[in-house]
Amino acid sequence: MRKKQGFISLVLTLMLLMSACSEEATNTKEPASTDSGKPMASAAATAANTVGGGKMTDVGTPRNQTLIVDILSGKTADPDLVNPYVPGAVPMDAGFHQLIFSSLWEINTEKGEQIPDLAATFPEPLDNTNTKFKFKLQEGLAWSDGVEFTSDDVVYTSDMIIKTKELGYSGYYASLVKSMKALDKYTIEVETVNPETRLAQKLGVVIWGTAFRVMPKHIWEKEDPTKFKFKDPVGLGPYTLKSRDPQGNWFLYEKRKDWQKSDIGKIVGEPGAQYILFKFFGPEEKRIIASIQHDMDILQDITPESWDVLRQKNKTALAWYENFPYADMNDPCERGMSFNASKAPYNNEDVRWAMALMTDIKNVSLATFGGMLRVSPIQLPPISVLQEKYHKPMLGWLKEFQLSDGYKPFDESYATDMVEMLKQQGIKGLPTDMKEAVNTFGVGWYKYDPAEAGKLLEKAGFKKQGDKWLKPDGTPWKVTINAPANFEVQSMRLAFAVADSWKKNGIDANVQQMDGATFWDSESTGAFEVGSYWPACGLLPDSTANFQGWHKQYIVDNGKQAPGNRNRWANDKVSSLIDELASMQSSDPKVISHITEINKEFVKGMPFIPMFGTSKFVPVDTYYWTGFQTSKNAFEGPWWWWSQFKYYTPHFKPTGK
């Protein structure tokens, strides 16, 4: 797998030569279909058609009015299942939570704070118990079918989730919200089960999106929420779903005629594109060719090798930085290996730690993203603000931390070692001092020490037979790593790199790639041993909301949808600290110390092996559209798959081509 990826530049170049880089060469595929089943005109045919002399897309829209976005999650298994509350629904990042569904509160990543969206105000405590609140909604908003948005919609959604216990989200939500009621058309009162100091964080967006999505009462009250597909979604965002590919490869959205009555129309302004096409082009080489030929404006998640090809072949393509490391390294989720701690032998922390010490992290970094990764030894991503709040202050503790046998596993040399290794490869623009190296590559990680790992395994009852490990019951130790297939490329490649490292040390490790729906459903239901997941996220110094789901109360049996704690790891101290955090205001100095203590517990127990922050090579093509964010135009990060994408759309302007 790694050899194949290492030759990706050569493969792409050969494919480009074979296709002669012509648009016609890539437009000879079978015509796409509309929802009605009628074939669209072929891309080659529509390219010949013009509207005012302009090119047409292969879904029948003017190219210069259509923003084309790659789908991060890849192909959709059931493109008609748009109900976000049931398993197997379309990935929200295929445009649904970016353009149609809206949240009560959103996140501004540049300022690092939440902002009102459907809500006009933040929750206001009604007494000193922190169990009763009220907030107001935006006035003048309408669902995309023209019906006015009111308190009734929010209250209905809340009641529906609480009453419908079959929904995976119901358990968590019912433990948070006791009731909602409408005080008037635009004012809602909330009563919580326990005292809450961060209600907006728990019901709103703090990173990618939110599980609490307000649904239109006038439509949903007539349906069974466990079976309703919501094929033709009605939302409060600035776009509507115009058509889709029955095979799940693309979704076409059109700007609402009444966009002024959408959340973005009211808060920001008019989106620039008349149409937005979220489209999965296929394997990475096809996505790169599409971008080179100006058939895609926003790329999701590519490899460093592909970016090298793209920037050489497409002079209008931009990454976050102009030079090394090119990728944005401040994505607020970190990647690593996640354990189902309810399954033997992964219910033993010595086994989990042994697997960490069998991971050659420097070579894993090189194999995954050419070394352009920032390492993380704790349960919070190594974005700049959290490095200053947690990673660097915890260095002293990490260096003194001991395993159960007294071994000190931490190694702070990662950053300087990576600089030297990359220098030997001829990489330019590398950090020149220790401080800069740590800011780029991280504070350090854990030693690569197979001998110490062997001691921990023997302590857990494992035995070595030749060069292979046997489990305590005498059977060969085989590990299957769940991994994304053709999406979330860093986690996909990380799985193969880690499997290689473990194989070298006697574990029969294999990678099982999955489409988006299966990948996430397997994590939720516990249908995994080890997975290349990312259950460690954070953007704000007060990351309480991101740890909330690790409470032991959310652990359910394997086979059931988990409302939280998908690793099924029970830690009494972590749960107690989470409970204490719930009663604190974000400004309380104890918040940072409590979250630091939680991170220490995660290091001790290692239910998730944190490895790297996320480096996102998510380039844009400025041939048809301008206004994209970059390091020089950082009004936001390049989070195209987040719900806040809709806030970016008014910035995007046509070039006139």
Side-chain angles (χ1 to χ4, degrees):
M1 178 68 180
R2 285 197 292 162
K3 290 181 179 179
K4 178 181 178 181
Q5 291 167 336
F7 291 122
I8 193 168
S9 296
L10 176 61
V11 172
L12 287 168
T13 302
L14 289 172
M15 290 186 70
L16 288 166
L17 290 171
M18 291 172 66
S19 66
C21 286
S22 67
E23 294 172 0
E24 289 77 15
T26 63
N27 287 330
T28 58
K29 57 180 179 283
E30 290 297 315
S33 299
T34 64
D35 284 343
S36 65
K38 296 178 181 178
M40 290 279 192
S42 70
T46 55
N49 296 329
T50 61
V51 173
K55 178 184 175 182
M56 300 290 285
T57 68
D58 60 355
V59 297
T61 57
R63 180 65 179 94
N64 58 13
Q65 296 180 31
T66 308
L67 181 76
I68 303 179
V69 186
D70 191 11
I71 299 179
L72 181 68
S73 300
K75 183 178 179 179
T76 297
D78 185 353
D80 292 341
L81 183 56
V82 190
N83 178 347
Y85 289 107
V86 298
V90 295
M92 289 295 104
D93 60 23
F96 291 94
H97 80 161
Q98 296 106 312
L99 302 176
I100 292 180
F101 298 140
S102 300
S103 307
L104 292 172
W105 298 279
E106 263 290 352
I107 187 77
N108 181 312
T109 63
E110 184 65 17
K111 295 181 179 179
E113 61 185 26
Q114 278 193 304
I115 56 175
D117 190 272
L118 297 181
T121 63
F122 285 96
E124 172 190 341
L126 296 178
D127 55 33
N128 60 3
T129 68
N130 282 324
T131 59
K132 289 188 177 181
F133 307 84
K134 73 174 182 179
F135 62 88
K136 290 188 174 294
L137 299 176
Q138 300 279 3
E139 298 183 26
L141 300 187
W143 294 97
S144 53
D145 62 359
V147 175
E148 184 182 13
F149 166 64
T150 70
S151 299
D152 288 344
D153 297 301
V154 182
V155 172
Y156 164 78
T157 302
S158 177
D159 290 344
M160 179 270 292
I161 296 170
I162 292 173
K163 293 175 182 177
T164 313
K165 301 187 185 305
E166 298 89 341
L167 302 180
Y169 181 51
S170 179
Y172 169 76
Y173 186 79
S175 73
L176 172 66
V177 174
K178 184 175 182 180
S179 66
M180 281 191 186
K181 66 179 181 180
L183 298 181
D184 60 38
K185 204 173 183 180
Y186 305 109
T187 308
I188 292 172
E189 180 180 302
V190 185
E191 184 175 359
T192 58
V193 175
N194 298 302
E196 293 293 342
T197 56
R198 299 172 183 81
L199 188 61
Q201 290 187 23
K202 294 179 180 180
L203 296 183
V205 178
V206 291
I207 296 183
W208 171 83
T210 178
F212 184 72
R213 296 185 173 90
V214 181
M215 294 292 114
K217 177 186 177 184
H218 64 283
I219 295 174
W220 276 62
E221 65 183 351
K222 303 171 187 176
E223 305 288 346
D224 178 348
T226 67
K227 298 177 180 178
F228 185 35
K229 300 196 79 168
F230 205 26
K231 177 181 177 182
D232 300 310
V234 171
L236 293 159
Y239 286 81
T240 59
L241 181 63
K242 183 177 178 63
S243 59
R244 82 200 86 194
D245 174 25
Q247 304 305 314
N249 290 303
W250 55 262
F251 298 90
L252 177 65
Y253 303 88
E254 183 175 16
K255 183 165 56 178
R256 287 171 53 170
K257 293 179 180 178
D258 64 343
W259 57 263
Q260 299 94 333
K261 294 183 179 181
S262 70
D263 56 345
I264 297 307
K266 181 177 177 66
I267 298 170
V268 187
E270 182 178 4
Q274 181 65 26
Y275 303 97
I276 298 184
L277 175 63
F278 275 76
K279 182 176 179 179
F280 178 59
F281 283 77
E284 188 167 354
E285 58 268 22
K286 291 186 178 180
R287 296 160 57 219
I288 297 302
I289 290 174
S291 185
I292 289 171
Q293 297 175 340
H294 310 304
D295 288 332
M296 187 191 303
D297 303 305
I298 296 175
L299 261 169
Q300 306 270 25
D301 223 11
I302 61 171
T303 59
E305 300 93 335
S306 290
W307 168 240
D308 286 341
V309 172
L310 179 59
R311 65 192 176 94
Q312 293 170 20
K313 298 292 184 180
N314 183 352
K315 300 306 180 184
T316 56
L318 298 177
W320 186 251
Y321 294 107
E322 290 183 357
N323 300 299
F324 183 93
Y326 298 106
D328 184 280
M329 301 175 88
N330 276 322
D331 181 283
C333 285
E334 65 186 11
R335 312 294 165 138
M337 293 296 111
S338 200
F339 295 102
N340 184 337
S342 69
K343 291 184 176 181
Y346 312 104
N347 56 349
N348 186 329
E349 66 184 48
D350 284 334
V351 174
R352 300 192 294 263
W353 256 107
M355 296 173 81
L357 296 173
M358 286 181 174
T359 304
D360 184 351
I361 198 67
K362 293 162 192 170
N363 280 321
V364 165
S365 175
L366 291 169
T368 301
F369 259 22
M372 287 177 271
L373 293 168
R374 186 180 294 156
V375 79
S376 174
I378 64 173
Q379 190 68 14
L380 282 172
I383 64 175
S384 300
V385 64
L386 297 183
Q387 277 209 113
E388 297 301 324
K389 288 290 184 180
Y390 296 103
H391 294 69
K392 292 177 183 178
M394 286 184 66
L395 259 178
W397 182 87
L398 286 165
K399 287 189 284 188
E400 294 302 316
F401 168 68
Q402 299 179 15
L403 298 180
S404 58
D405 61 357
Y407 179 83
K408 293 182 178 180
F410 189 70
D411 177 11
E412 61 179 325
S413 69
Y414 177 84
T416 51
D417 288 352
M418 288 306 302
V419 169
E420 290 305 313
M421 292 173 77
L422 291 169
K423 273 184 182 178
Q424 293 175 16
Q425 295 183 7
I427 302 297
K428 306 296 183 183
L430 292 165
T432 56
D433 60 53
M434 182 64 179
K435 181 179 179 181
E436 188 182 357
V438 167
N439 287 341
T440 301
F441 293 107
V443 298
W445 206 68
Y446 302 106
K447 297 171 185 174
Y448 178 49
D449 193 338
E452 172 62 18
K455 293 178 183 178
L456 293 174
L457 290 176
E458 288 172 354
K459 176 186 171 186
F462 285 72
K463 293 181 180 179
K464 200 80 174 283
Q465 186 177 77
D467 60 354
K468 299 292 184 183
W469 283 101
L470 302 180
K471 292 192 293 185
D473 64 3
T475 60
W477 189 11
K478 297 183 178 182
V479 176
T480 298
I481 304 174
N482 285 9
N486 292 317
F487 69 99
E488 291 289 358
V489 65
Q490 182 177 332
S491 285
M492 179 180 73
R493 295 182 72 164
L494 180 62
F496 285 96
V498 171
D500 282 351
S501 193
W502 288 350
K503 283 178 182 177
K504 290 176 183 176
N505 291 290
I507 303 175
D508 186 0
N510 295 288
V511 175
Q512 177 177 252
Q513 291 185 265
M514 301 173 165
D515 61 44
T518 307
F519 179 69
W520 292 117
D521 191 58
S522 296
E523 185 199 28
S524 180
T525 59
F528 74 103
E529 300 171 317
V530 184
S532 192
Y533 293 107
W534 44 102
C537 299
L539 178 63
L540 308 174
D542 176 13
S543 298
T544 300
N546 304 108
F547 283 109
Q548 183 70 32
W550 284 94
H551 199 290
K552 64 182 181 180
Q553 68 180 325
Y554 302 124
I555 296 176
V556 297
D557 293 338
N558 290 312
K560 295 182 179 180
Q561 292 284 339
N565 205 337
R566 295 181 171 190
N567 294 63
R568 292 159 169 81
W569 179 62
N571 182 290
D572 292 340
K573 186 172 181 179
V574 167
S575 296
S576 177
L577 287 165
I578 290 171
D579 288 338
E580 292 175 22
L581 282 165
S583 65
M584 299 177 188
Q585 299 292 335
S586 290
S587 57
D588 191 326
K590 292 181 181 178
V591 167
I592 301 299
S593 62
H594 271 52
I595 293 176
T596 298
E597 290 303 312
I598 289 175
N599 275 288
K600 291 178 182 178
E601 291 301 306
F602 273 92
V603 171
K604 295 173 186 176
M606 201 61 72
F608 165 71
I609 305 178
M611 293 181 177
F612 304 107
T614 303
S615 293
K616 284 292 184 182
F617 290 88
V618 284
V620 296
D621 180 19
T622 59
Y623 186 82
Y624 284 107
W625 297 92
T626 62
F628 301 111
Q629 55 267 52
T630 66
S631 62
K632 292 185 176 180
N633 182 33
F635 62 86
E636 270 291 358
W639 320 127
W640 317 118
W641 56 103
W642 290 15
S643 60
Q644 63 170 249
F645 178 99
K646 61 177 75 75
Y647 279 79
Y648 313 159
T649 57
H651 293 269
F652 305 152
K653 306 296 181 185
T655 62
K657 290 189 173 66

